[in-house]
Amino acid sequence: MNLKELKELIELIQQSEISELELEKSGVRVRIKKERSSLPPPPAPEGLPSTPAAPAEAPHPQASTLAPVPMPAGWLTLTAPVVGTFYRSPAPDADPYAEVGSVVKKGQIICVIEAMKLMNEIESEWDGKIVEILVENAQPVEYGEPLFRIEPLTPA
């Protein structure tokens, strides 16, 4: 079993209701167990917004250099595509990929999430400006957890 197959198994478990899986292939035994629910939230009832509400508590002091920002209409939330550890920079002594106020392009790397010793580069899904970083550096994150709030760039 190679790392790609293992990563695919982890992603399948994260996106399913299965909480534990044990598999043996070519003499290699793998056991994957979800400790906490990593399922995305259920769809909102009709008439309510489908975007998760802002957290009731303020973000960690180091997570954002600005005060918490209410979520205006049109702003976008980038969420964690995998369970792992969130890092703002490629190395401890390196500059962060993005800061509050940074303008990012779609496809630009804005953080990494380490899962099973694999560094997953997380790219911006939109052109926009980072208005809030919702996670502290080196903090564990769950699948679907909000990471960044992005104000989309409007065409000139």
Side-chain angles (χ1 to χ4, degrees), residues 12-120:
L12 285 171
I13 296 297
Q14 290 171 345
Q15 297 172 5
S16 73
E17 293 184 23
I18 298 171
S19 62
E20 188 171 340
L21 173 73
E22 190 167 332
L23 175 71
E24 187 169 344
K25 181 179 177 186
S26 304
V28 176
R29 177 180 267 175
V30 176
R31 181 172 177 223
I32 302 171
K33 182 177 179 182
K34 269 195 279 192
E35 292 296 323
R36 297 184 271 175
S37 173
S38 63
L39 299 175
E46 201 168 308
L48 294 177
S50 60
T51 308
E57 61 187 58
H60 297 283
Q62 297 174 347
S64 175
T65 57
L66 299 177
V69 178
M71 182 76 166
W75 282 12
L76 306 164
T77 302
L78 182 74
T79 59
V82 295
V83 173
T85 304
F86 171 87
Y87 294 105
R88 293 185 54 202
S89 61
D93 59 342
D95 290 334
Y97 287 111
E99 299 277 2
V100 171
S102 296
V103 174
V104 295
K105 297 286 183 189
K106 180 178 180 176
Q108 178 179 336
I109 299 168
I110 58 175
C111 69
V112 293
I113 296 179
E114 178 185 8
M116 301 287 295
K117 304 281 185 202
L118 296 174
M119 298 305 243
N120 300 284

Side-chain angles (χ1 to χ4, degrees), residues 127-139:
D127 292 342
K129 182 172 107 178
I130 306 283
V131 291
E132 195 170 5
I133 301 171
L134 303 168
V135 181
E136 193 172 327
N137 193 50
Q139 177 180 330

